Amino acid sequence: MPNPPRIVVLGRQGAGKGTQCARLAAYLGVPHLSTGDLFRTAVRDGTPVGVQVAGYLERGELVPDELVVGIVQEHAAAEGLDDRGYLLDGFPRTIAQAELFLGSDGKGVDVAVELDVPVDVVVERIARRRVCPVDGWTTIVDDPSVAAVPCPDGHDAVQREDDTPEAVRRRLALYERETGPLGPWFAQRGLLERVDGVGDPDEVFDRILGALRARGLLSAA
Ligand code: ADP
């Protein structure tokens, strides 16, 4: 592998971005940056960033572009992502964010992988999603009436505060309007790989690896 890959993972809420990024990060040895996780940790810890973004998260609204891009740029510089490659999960989420962070030609990234999962499937997944508020560990419970399940570290994984049906509907609508156009934006720049995100997480992972391999972003193995 010549350079560590720089990958954007797109997909609506519940498409499996976090799950697949965690696997990819381990497989590729590339840092995973989830803006949602970054913001939730900042809110929980009451940092200045947390104070700035808390209201947007609560309402299920997007954090303003300049604010998000500034935070991501700062994080990228502090973590040396220029040299280490990256997996961006939940960012960029608007064309303005993409143009500010990746450049209008998209040259700041090697590929955008779009996980394709229909709305009815993600709504059903989110109703059953339980997330550990401490470490972000995520699982899908069989029975949606189960409120909490223990994560491997012994904390309780629960429903995210913004996973109420009303907030989910708002975020999905926002996704179609603000983030949907990023698919064509990356496609026009020859950077888009669409991957079927329905099915077993192992199968989806293999599909993603296939797409990365086809682009020469994996070593031959
Ligand atoms: P979801 O994809 O289910 O909305 P995330 O964990 O990705 O969940 O994000 C949670 C919240 O964080 C979003 O609803 C939004 O308020 C904020 N957020 C995350 N990433 C961005 C971004 N790139 N631009 C604007 N807001 C963001």
Side-chain angles (χ1 to χ4, degrees):
M1 196 160 55
N3 284 311
R6 300 164 305 167
I7 302 171
V8 165
V9 180
L10 297 171
R12 53 171 61 95
Q13 289 74 11
K17 299 186 294 294
T19 302
Q20 296 299 332
C21 282
R23 288 171 184 234
L24 283 168
Y27 186 88
L28 300 169
V30 162
H32 169 198
L33 172 56
S34 154
T35 41
D37 287 347
L38 188 76
F39 293 158
R40 274 186 293 278
T41 303
V43 171
R44 193 194 64 211
D45 295 346
T47 67
V49 165
V51 172
Q52 280 177 296
V53 304
Y56 300 103
L57 266 73
E58 244 165 62
R59 293 188 296 273
E61 291 171 7
L62 290 184
V63 175
D65 291 330
E66 278 78 17
L67 183 55
V68 183
V69 172
I71 294 166
V72 172
Q73 276 168 340
E74 221 169 87
H75 183 91
E79 297 290 321
L81 299 190
D82 270 355
D83 300 325
R84 297 168 65 205
Y86 56 69
L87 276 155
L88 293 182
D89 162 3
F91 178 88
R93 212 176 276 218
T94 63
I95 288 182
Q97 291 179 15
E99 297 206 329
L100 284 167
F101 190 74
L102 304 171
S104 52
D105 52 7
K107 285 276 160 52
V109 70
D110 298 311
V111 67
V113 175
E114 183 169 34
L115 288 178
D116 196 14
V117 182
V119 173
D120 53 340
V121 177
V122 300
V123 166
E124 214 257 324
R125 275 189 196 171
I126 293 171
R128 297 193 289 123
R129 172 160 81 178
R130 303 291 177 269
V131 182
C132 172
V134 181
D135 55 28
W137 180 83
T138 300
T139 192
I140 303 287
V141 294
D142 289 331
D143 174 359
S145 68
V146 171
V149 281
C151 85
D153 287 344
H155 312 111
D156 267 349
V158 293
Q159 190 152 50
R160 255 170 53 179
E161 279 171 22
D162 62 351
D163 274 354
T164 59
E166 191 200 334
V168 168
R169 262 196 306 277
R170 191 172 321 132
R171 300 207 315 283
L172 282 168
L174 208 57
Y175 186 88
E176 302 310 320
R177 197 172 72 229
E178 301 290 341
T179 313
L182 274 179
W185 189 89
F186 281 111
Q188 279 155 15
R189 289 155 182 76
L191 293 167
L192 186 71
E193 287 288 342
R194 284 188 85 184
V195 171
D196 180 3
V198 178
D200 184 85
D202 288 340
E203 284 169 27
V204 176
F205 185 60
D206 283 342
R207 290 176 202 144
I208 297 174
L209 291 185
L212 297 181
R213 193 171 291 118
R215 284 194 173 244
L217 293 172
L218 291 188
S219 46

